[in-house]
């Protein structure tokens, strides 16, 4: 099969001390994310998309209304691949170096960035994602519904947070704001954000 479920960059239980139970990852990664990969393989098997990269499938299917089912699964696979890397055990803290300076420049302060990101994550109605993106050299916070992502719009993603209920229901029940605050305080992987920022 062309598309694979990547390994998690940490153990299933590694985020437990930081507010995300192994049970959350067991379901969110092991069942939800895996189902998107399985569906994408079913939908592209034997088609010209089966040999494309995941990024290419996202871009091609987003522009073709006859491929919305493929986009919904390809987008979700890409988003979740990106999401797991946006987290790490004992994350949080502050960015450093050029990334920190760029956040200061574009948002005014790290706290202002956090406020804007939290607001986007809290106000995405229903299912979707909050993102930090690099839009031609300017950092911006955006939110997207369902499987949509910056890649589909030709933008560079730096960070994402999944705000679907399945992302937080086991840990925070219906309290999305608590989940968002915990992400920023204890889980956000600034090293990963800096790596994305440094990419051309
Ligand atoms: Mn999800």
């Amino acid at each position: 099969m062309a598309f694979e479920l990547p390994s998690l960059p940490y153990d299933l239980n590694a985020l437990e001390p930081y507010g995300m139970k192994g049970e959350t990852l067991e379901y969110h990664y092991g069942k939800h994310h895996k189902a998107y990969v399985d569906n994408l393989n079913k939908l592209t098997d034997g088609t010209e998309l089966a040999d494309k990269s995941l990024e290419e499938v996202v871009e091609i299917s987003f522009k073709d209304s006859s491929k919305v089912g493929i986009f919904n699964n390809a987008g979700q696979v890409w988003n979740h691949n990106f999401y797991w890397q946006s987290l790490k055990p004992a994350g949080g803290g502050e960015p450093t170096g050029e990334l920190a300076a760029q956040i200061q420049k574009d948002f005014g302060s790290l706290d202002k960035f956090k406020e804007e990101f939290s607001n986007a994550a809290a106000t995405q109605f229903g299912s979707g994602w909050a993102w930090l993106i690099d839009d031609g050299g300017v950092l911006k916070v955006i939110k997207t519904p369902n499987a949509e992502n910056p890649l589909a719009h030709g933008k560079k993603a730096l960070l994402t947070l999944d705000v679907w209920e399945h992302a937080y229901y086991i840990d925070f029940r219906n309290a999305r704001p608590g989940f968002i605050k915990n992400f920023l305080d204890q889980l956000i992987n600034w090293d990963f954000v800096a790596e994305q920022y440094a990419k051309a």
Side-chain angles (χ1 to χ4, degrees):
M1 285 299 205
F3 302 101
E4 289 182 0
L5 180 68
S7 303
L8 278 178
Y10 30 74
D11 290 340
L12 278 181
N13 294 321
L15 305 179
E16 285 221 353
Y18 311 101
M20 190 175 284
K21 289 193 178 79
E23 189 187 351
T24 295
L25 291 168
E26 194 184 320
Y27 278 83
H28 196 179
Y29 168 74
K31 297 190 188 297
H32 290 276
H33 190 176
K34 182 177 184 300
Y36 295 126
V37 175
D38 291 346
N39 286 333
L40 179 61
N41 280 320
K42 275 183 212 148
L43 291 169
T44 55
D45 188 31
T47 75
E48 77 282 2
L49 293 178
D51 298 320
K52 303 278 187 196
S53 71
L54 178 62
E55 286 74 14
E56 287 172 319
V57 174
V58 167
E59 288 166 344
I60 292 166
S61 60
F62 185 66
K63 293 187 187 105
D64 183 344
S65 62
S66 74
K67 294 186 168 60
V68 65
I70 291 173
F71 176 75
N72 284 338
N73 286 283
Q76 291 292 10
V77 172
W78 194 87
N79 294 357
H80 285 87
N81 291 354
F82 202 84
Y83 176 54
W84 302 126
Q85 298 177 83
S86 295
L87 312 176
K88 71 169 188 178
E94 297 186 358
T96 56
E98 283 183 34
L99 174 63
Q102 190 75 43
I103 287 172
Q104 182 82 29
K105 179 168 178 278
D106 294 334
F107 294 99
S109 68
L110 181 61
D111 282 346
K112 283 284 182 197
F113 157 72
K114 287 183 181 177
E115 197 181 309
E116 204 173 310
F117 188 88
S118 301
N119 190 44
T123 58
Q124 171 56 41
F125 183 76
S127 57
W129 304 81
W131 304 86
L132 174 64
I133 66 166
D134 183 342
D135 185 3
V138 179
L139 301 188
K140 292 177 183 170
V141 166
I142 63 163
K143 53 187 177 179
T144 60
N146 303 315
E148 241 180 87
N149 58 36
L151 177 65
H153 293 280
K155 309 287 186 196
K156 185 164 86 166
L158 304 185
L159 169 76
T160 197
L161 180 62
D162 186 344
V163 297
W164 290 37
E165 274 186 359
H166 65 229
Y168 58 87
Y169 210 80
I170 290 168
D171 300 301
F172 292 88
R173 294 302 169 193
N174 60 332
R176 193 192 288 185
F179 168 67
I180 297 165
K181 185 178 186 310
N182 186 67
F183 167 72
L184 292 168
D185 290 348
Q186 301 205 83
L187 289 170
I188 184 171
N189 183 352
W190 282 115
D191 297 334
F192 175 70
V193 181
E195 279 168 33
Q196 304 315 303
Y197 176 68
K199 280 185 188 170

